[in-house]
Amino acid sequence: MRTQVGIIGAGPAGLVLAHLLHLRGVDSVVLERHTRAHIESRIRAGVLEQGTVELLCDIGLGERLMGERMVHSGLELLFDGVGHRVPLKELTGYQVTIYGQHELVKDLVAARLATGRPLLFGVSDVTVDPAGTIRFVHDGKPVELECDLIAGCDGFHGVSRSVIPKPVVFEHVYPYAWLGVLAEAPPSSEELIYAHHAAGFALHSMRSPQLTRLYLQVDPDDSLESWPAARIWEQLRLRLSRVDTDWRLADGPIIEQSITGLRSFVVDPMQHDRLFLAGDAAHIVPATGAKGLNLAIADVVALDACHASGRLASYSDICLRRVWRVQHFSWWMTSMLHRVPDPFAAHLQLSQLRYLTSSTAAATSFAENYVGLPLNR
Ligand code: APR
Ligand code: PHB
């Protein structure tokens, strides 16, 4: 079997790349180890930068997104029991979109299948030869796929990163994790609320007028058994409580929950020979800045542009500039909001939050990073 671009992984990175290539008449084969049902129901983050939304619309993938999304022109930082709105749009001209990643994956899978180009689910035993061959098993048969280029879009636990010889790896593991829950309850606020609280960080987000997405800072070695629903709601009510209003958090049945550790990770370079890594395969950011999905899409936009212009040698450098800006922002936001045992550090956090919510310059800098950099298209 032969193709121009072999794409490993049908997450947002792999599927958006496949579509960008398709629009340029470049053929590709997408390989995914899970089933379609699995990838379409996997609950992940849900914040899209305006640049991401504009790209998706420009390439014809924005129809359902534009109809179903929730647009936010600001967010709230809550500390010492008082909420402070950061008016993102007023400060930057940009807004953010709330749309579940798995909803986007559904749109991307449908678009790929509509092109008639191959998207193979349930592949196993994938191995990568960076000189241009992917070997895998599909429908019980071994396949050898010759490619001009291989895109390693197989996420943090994929196989492609391991064939980069002697990369420099940067890693930071945070001493906390997030317990995320999806609840059948109407959102209790029109915008996202990031809460700094002595009991730990909490985040109020949403997926639709009927579904609230909530997160709690927990210990990395906590298990779901130690977090029964009653404890989750009690901690959410506590951490999101306010001294200045009688705001109440609506609750409801929890339909999904998981615990995820927070980490920062970068591999440098992101390419070797004919292999190019994109998205979580090359870097992980802590979820606090809601950047993972946006960064993955920025990578594949750059990969497509470098491929089109014959500048593939610059791909890694182009991506890593953005990756490090986003790493810094995500680390900074994470460090500012999570409970830390050291009282000195806790004072610095509160001072930073007060500065951020009282200085237009500081708020603008935060907002500029939160809404995202323009894409290298
Ligand atoms: N063979 C085939 N497919 C694989 C393999 C493999 N060996 N290993 C992993 N995959 C698939 C996974 O099943 C997954 O569907 O690769 C895909 C990678 O997708 P994501 O993990 O979603 O990564 P990416 O596309 O880079 O998306 C960026 O942003 O919000 C964050 O982490 C979140 O998934 C999100 C990411
Ligand atoms: C989410 O809705 O899943 C979400 C929102 C904001 C974040 C992280 C996750 O910072």
Side-chain angles (χ1 to χ4, degrees), residues 194-220:
Y194 289 88
H196 176 280
H197 191 278
F201 168 73
L203 168 59
H204 170 281
S205 179
M206 61 203 69
R207 287 293 177 269
S208 73
Q210 296 80 34
L211 284 179
T212 311
R213 178 78 170 147
L214 298 142
Y215 296 94
L216 284 171
Q217 174 185 349
V218 298
D219 288 333

Side-chain angles (χ1 to χ4, degrees), residues 285-300:
V285 286
T288 326
K291 293 290 175 203
L293 168 62
N294 297 288
L295 206 48
I297 291 182
D299 283 350
V300 296

Side-chain angles (χ1 to χ4, degrees), residues 97-175:
T97 283
I98 309 300
Y99 190 68
Q101 182 172 313
H102 70 288
E103 297 297 339
L104 178 62
V105 167
K106 285 184 203 167
D107 300 342
L108 297 172
V109 169
R112 174 64 179 183
L113 296 176
T115 65
R117 295 189 192 269
L119 162 52
L120 310 183
F121 290 105
V123 305
S124 61
D125 305 297
V126 175
T127 59
V128 178
D129 175 347
T133 310
I134 308 174
R135 294 182 181 85
F136 59 96
V137 174
H138 184 241
D139 278 346
K141 296 185 202 73
V143 184
E144 219 172 82
L145 179 63
E146 296 299 331
C147 318
D148 297 339
L149 201 133
I150 299 173
C153 302
D154 46 353
F156 187 62
H157 301 287
V159 293
S160 18
R161 188 174 61 244
S162 64
V163 304
I164 305 245
K166 298 200 180 79
V168 185
V169 170
F170 301 88
E171 187 162 24
H172 181 73
V173 178
Y174 299 81

Side-chain angles (χ1 to χ4, degrees), residues 9 11-13 32-34 42 44 101 126 153-155 279-280 292-293 296:
E32 168 57 49
R33 76 163 149 208
H34 287 298
R42 204 165 41 188
R44 296 271 182 87
Q101 182 172 313
V126 175
C153 302
D154 46 353
D280 280 14
L293 168 62

Side-chain angles (χ1 to χ4, degrees), residues 158-335:
V159 293
S160 18
R161 188 174 61 244
S162 64
V163 304
I164 305 245
K166 298 200 180 79
V168 185
V169 170
F170 301 88
E171 187 162 24
H172 181 73
V173 178
Y174 299 81
Y176 21 79
W178 278 18
L179 165 61
V181 304
L182 192 61
E184 280 174 350
S188 305
S189 158
E190 284 183 5
E191 296 181 337
L192 267 57
I193 307 168
Y194 289 88
H196 176 280
H197 191 278
F201 168 73
L203 168 59
H204 170 281
S205 179
M206 61 203 69
R207 287 293 177 269
S208 73
Q210 296 80 34
L211 284 179
T212 311
R213 178 78 170 147
L214 298 142
Y215 296 94
L216 284 171
Q217 174 185 349
V218 298
D219 288 333
D221 46 10
D222 268 4
S223 64
L224 287 173
E225 291 79 70
S226 55
W227 283 94
R231 183 177 178 209
I232 292 175
W233 288 113
E234 178 256 318
Q235 280 298 306
L236 284 167
R237 278 191 289 270
L238 171 70
R239 299 183 195 186
L240 293 165
S241 64
R242 290 153 191 269
V243 293
D244 55 344
T245 69
D246 56 1
W247 183 87
R248 284 180 64 81
L249 176 67
D251 60 20
I254 291 176
I255 54 175
E256 200 265 350
Q257 55 184 320
S258 58
I259 293 181
T260 315
L262 265 62
R263 84 169 68 227
S264 302
F265 179 92
V266 180
V267 65
D268 182 354
M270 287 170 54
Q271 67 189 81
H272 172 66
D273 204 352
R274 291 170 189 254
L275 170 68
F276 298 82
L277 302 180
D280 280 14
H283 40 70
I284 296 288
V285 286
T288 326
K291 293 290 175 203
L293 168 62
N294 297 288
L295 206 48
I297 291 182
D299 283 350
V300 296
V301 166
L303 183 54
D304 177 60
C306 288
H307 182 242
S309 62
R311 288 183 302 122
L312 280 169
S314 316
Y315 169 71
S316 181
D317 290 346
I318 291 172
C319 290
L320 287 170
R321 286 185 77 84
R322 182 189 197 95
V323 167
W324 279 111
R325 173 85 301 277
V326 172
Q327 283 293 358
H328 178 266
F329 176 66
S330 303
W331 162 83
W332 173 78
M333 198 171 162
T334 302
S335 312

